[in-house]
Amino acid sequence: MSGPASLRCLFPKYASPSLCLRRNFHSAKKSHQQPNFPKIATKAPRDAPRKDVVRKTTTTADDFPPYSEEDKKKLTSHFNYTPAQIAAVEAGEAAIDPKDLAEQATIREDPFAFEYFDDFATIHPVVDKPIRAPEKNYDPKMRYKNEDEIAEDFVKFIEEMPDDGNVTRLDYMKFTDNLRLKVGKEEAERNPVSSLAPAIPKGLEALKQKGVRKQGEVEIDPAMRKLMRQTGFSLEEIRRFRVKNLVVHRVVNQTRLGKVQSIYFLTIAGNGKGLLGIGEGKSTEAEEGRRQAHYAAIRNVQPIPRYEDRTIYGDVKVKMGAVELELMTRPPGFGIRCQDKIFEICRCAGISDLAARVTRSRNPMNTIKATFQALVSQKIPDEVARGLGKKLVDVRKVYYGGNI
């Protein structure tokens, strides 16, 4: 074999690619290959006439019979319909022609029509759970058992115990499950009839797409949700609280790794209607510390007794550390005459007439805590009267008719 002939065998021409077996390293498929996808029929538009739903029966006027005497007796006996209500039902039947109901009961062809045919007149056991109980499961004379009747059930259970007294936990669980708490029909207690709609199924939150919410819906962070569960306040009520940061300073904690700096916040919160709370927060980030103190103040709110919704009940003296504080009640129109920290606390609590005196130390943190303790620890006249065994009478209401 000559040299040129062997070279022609090793490097064939591109005109005959089938003569040489080689691997295609290109990621794209060849243009002549068809994709192996299943063919799916195109769906008709919403406004197109629906031909897949066919009416099986024709509605006539005979499908809407009037109320019989037996039906009216059931309305009177089972549902306590009055004669006036029965007369209203008869007037409604006389005003509506059954022929109009038969002609108007047609299949909807509008874009908002359902994709299936259903008149919503029957209850499907799978879709529309729970199934409504029959009307006979109703007892108007049903009542709860008294203590003697429940004791008799326990005595009967003890008498039916075996002689050896070997009663397992399973026997007691069966007894508690089968124990009736009411007197009357057993069906009315086990499976009572109800006109309420079936309960909304749980677990639908998982079907909601994350990050998608309704128009106007506000996203609530987990910390705020936890605060709402702990306090019972709604989001709007929490937003209406008056919040004030009274003390803000930097603190340093010496550790083996060095000095760790943090920001300390002492915050008060009140609704201006007798609720007041204080909270503390500390974090390396100022915003995080402020949020901690804010939520802690709302979480610690307590009711503040207010005389005539404007001042306190009598003078109060409190000592907190080296701070000695005295709060004094004042007449209407006096105003709040005290230092700035106590002034902000009174505004948050809804107090408009007050005087305060701080002696010895005037540390801001102890002053705020002493003021909160003094407002909470007031002695109400009603409590004093009950402790002395006396009767409290408001002289203004007795002698002046409450006009003063």
Side-chain angles (χ1 to χ4, degrees):
M1 178 183 291
S2 62
S6 60
L7 293 176
R8 285 194 298 270
C9 296
L10 292 175
F11 301 96
K13 297 181 178 180
Y14 288 98
S16 57
S18 60
L19 299 179
C20 180
L21 299 177
R22 63 185 183 276
R23 186 174 180 181
N24 186 13
F25 293 96
H26 201 278
S27 59
K29 294 186 178 181
K30 296 182 180 180
S31 58
H32 65 274
Q33 293 182 355
Q34 297 294 334
N36 191 16
F37 294 144
K39 295 183 178 180
I40 302 175
T42 57
K43 187 177 180 181
R46 296 284 297 181
D47 54 353
R50 293 160 52 210
K51 301 180 180 179
D52 54 337
V53 178
V54 181
R55 179 184 287 273
K56 297 181 180 180
T57 58
T58 304
T59 305
T60 60
D62 299 335
D63 296 335
F64 306 97
Y67 278 89
S68 61
E69 295 297 332
E70 184 179 358
D71 296 337
K72 296 177 182 178
K73 290 181 180 179
K74 286 184 179 180
L75 294 177
T76 305
S77 59
H78 291 278
F79 302 101
N80 299 328
Y81 269 53
T82 61
Q85 292 175 331
I86 297 295
V89 172
E90 294 176 349
E93 287 189 343
I96 301 176
D97 189 2
K99 184 178 179 181
D100 297 340
L101 297 177
E103 294 178 355
Q104 295 176 6
T106 57
I107 299 178
R108 295 174 53 181
E109 299 292 345
D110 56 284
F112 301 99
F114 292 96
E115 297 292 340
Y116 52 90
F117 176 73
D118 194 350
D119 58 354
F120 303 101
T122 58
I123 296 177
H124 299 278
V126 178
V127 180
D128 300 329
K129 282 189 176 182
I131 303 176
R132 299 184 186 275
E135 296 181 359
K136 64 181 182 180
N137 293 2
Y138 175 72
D139 189 2
K141 299 181 180 181
M142 180 176 290
R143 62 173 179 84
Y144 283 96
K145 292 183 178 180
N146 52 31
E147 296 181 358
D148 297 336
E149 293 172 343
I150 295 179
E152 290 178 1
D153 295 339
F154 275 97
V155 171
K156 184 177 179 181
F157 170 69
I158 295 174
E159 292 178 351
E160 295 177 354
M161 290 172 54
D163 298 336
D164 54 358
N166 187 13
V167 179
T168 61
R169 185 178 179 181
L170 180 61
D171 297 336
Y172 182 75
M173 292 176 63
K174 290 181 179 179
F175 166 72
T176 55
D177 293 341
N178 298 326
L179 178 64
R180 294 189 55 191
L181 302 178
K182 296 181 180 179
V183 178
K185 285 185 180 181
E186 183 176 2
E187 298 83 2
E189 182 180 359
R190 305 293 186 187
N191 188 19
V193 61
S194 176
S195 300
L196 300 178
I200 300 176
K202 298 181 180 179
L204 297 180
E205 292 81 5
L207 302 178
K208 184 178 179 181
Q209 298 181 3
K210 295 183 179 181
V212 179
R213 55 180 182 269
K214 297 181 181 179
Q215 185 178 3
E217 183 180 0
V218 181
E219 185 177 0
I220 305 176
D221 60 327
M224 179 61 71
R225 291 186 182 276
K226 183 178 179 180
L227 179 64
M228 294 168 60
R229 291 195 302 268
Q230 292 175 343
T231 59
F233 295 127
S234 63
L235 182 60
E236 295 298 329
E237 292 175 342
I238 293 177
R239 288 180 173 178
R240 284 197 293 265
F241 271 88
R242 181 184 180 87
V243 183
K244 190 73 175 180
N245 298 323
L246 298 183
V247 177
V248 181
H249 58 76
R250 184 176 63 92
V251 295
V252 179
N253 182 23
Q254 180 66 45
T255 64
R256 63 184 183 88
L257 300 178
K259 296 182 179 180
V260 179
Q261 300 182 5
S262 303
I263 305 297
Y264 172 83
F265 287 85
L266 180 60
T267 306
I268 61 172
N271 62 348
K273 299 179 181 179
L275 286 181
L276 181 67
I278 61 174
E280 298 174 297
K282 184 178 68 173
S283 178
T284 56
E285 298 292 337
E287 183 63 25
E288 179 65 19
R290 185 200 60 79
R291 187 181 61 84
Q292 291 179 9
H294 180 186
Y295 290 176
I298 297 178
R299 192 181 300 110
N300 300 330
V301 292
Q302 296 185 22
I304 304 299
R306 296 182 301 163
Y307 178 69
E308 295 180 347
D309 294 340
R310 62 175 184 83
T311 185
I312 60 176
Y313 287 89
D315 299 345
V316 186
K317 292 183 179 180
V318 173
K319 184 177 184 299
M320 177 70 65
V323 174
E324 293 182 357
L325 174 71
E326 182 180 4
L327 300 181
M328 294 162 285
T329 180
R330 286 296 181 263
F334 183 83
I336 305 175
R337 303 183 186 180
C338 54
Q339 60 170 277
D340 57 339
K341 302 291 189 300
I342 304 177
F343 178 83
E344 294 294 342
I345 293 175
C346 294
R347 290 187 61 186
C348 291
I351 297 175
S352 57
D353 300 312
L354 184 79
R357 180 185 297 113
V358 181
T359 58
R360 294 185 62 189
S361 175
R362 296 187 178 182
N363 180 270
M365 297 171 57
N366 288 342
T367 302
I368 295 169
K369 295 178 181 179
T371 306
F372 180 75
Q373 183 177 352
L375 293 176
V376 173
S377 60
Q378 299 180 55
K379 290 185 178 180
I380 304 177
D382 295 340
E383 297 179 355
V384 177
R386 285 195 298 267
L388 298 177
K390 304 294 183 178
K391 183 178 180 181
L392 184 66
V393 177
D394 193 345
V395 180
R396 299 176 306 170
K397 293 183 180 179
V398 175
Y399 294 99
Y400 300 101
N403 296 325
I404 297 180

